[in-house]
Amino acid sequence: MPAAFLVLCGLITMGCAWWGVAAYLRAVDPPPTDTDRAERLAGLSHEQHPGKGRYYVPADAVLSRTADGARVAYLRYRIGGGDDANLDDFLRTYDLPRPGAPASLPEDLRASLPGDEPAAGPLLPDGQGGREIFVVERPAADLPGAADVYVRAAGT
């Protein structure tokens, strides 16, 4: 009987130790969220732009799949404007060109994000396959450089 009790105590102790190690590893390196995956697919993760010293966090992010199984990321960044966080800084942080000609936002992008999304906005001449970035400036905001940036990125 005492031997069985000691074995049971040993098993419980090993189980608690395993649970503690697993909890520590999760806290140190948490699993990626859908927002993290969407940012990576769009090429806008802070890990993909090292040395910038800053990055922007999307206000909305949706990761989905098309009918043929390809992953699609929909992101919206709300840039407040002013000296610190403005559209020019966003473009510089992610090495993006200035917006070009206005274009219609894809219907799936507008449908995937919450809220009333605009029908059109200047499209960045990006060059990265499967990624479309639209900028909608908010001139009514009190600070210059305020904008909403909409991203649709498709990939595998």
Side-chain angles (χ1 to χ4, degrees), residues 120-143:
L123 176 65
L124 272 65
D126 186 29
Q128 181 174 333
R131 180 171 81 172
E132 297 172 290
I133 301 175
F134 301 86
V135 174
V136 178
E137 294 190 50
R138 294 190 328 254
D142 293 337
L143 300 171

Side-chain angles (χ1 to χ4, degrees), residues 1-152:
M1 184 77 160
F5 179 72
L6 288 175
V7 168
L8 181 62
C9 285
L11 289 173
I12 290 172
T13 301
M14 287 184 353
C16 287
W18 178 259
W19 176 78
V21 167
Y24 173 76
L25 291 175
R26 253 191 227 123
V28 170
D29 189 21
T33 64
D34 280 350
T35 299
D36 297 331
R37 290 183 190 101
E39 284 181 294
R40 278 193 207 103
L41 182 62
L44 299 174
S45 171
H46 64 91
E47 296 167 348
Q48 295 167 312
H49 299 273
K52 293 294 184 174
R54 66 181 300 136
Y55 60 93
Y56 287 79
V57 177
D60 297 300
V62 176
L63 188 62
S64 185
R65 290 199 180 269
T66 62
D68 64 355
R71 293 184 310 156
V72 181
Y74 306 101
L75 299 151
R76 180 179 64 157
Y77 293 88
R78 291 193 63 86
I79 301 169
D83 292 336
D84 189 41
N86 56 52
L87 179 58
D88 289 336
D89 182 64
F90 180 88
L91 298 173
R92 188 173 38 257
T93 297
Y94 295 111
D95 300 317
L96 297 170
R98 299 284 312 156
S104 296
L105 271 70
E107 192 60 40
D108 60 336
L109 171 65
R110 295 179 64 218
S112 295
L113 295 174
D116 294 329
E117 311 309 335
L123 176 65
L124 272 65
D126 186 29
Q128 181 174 333
R131 180 171 81 172
E132 297 172 290
I133 301 175
F134 301 86
V135 174
V136 178
E137 294 190 50
R138 294 190 328 254
D142 293 337
L143 300 171
D148 288 336
V149 177
Y150 295 91
V151 182
R152 181 190 186 278

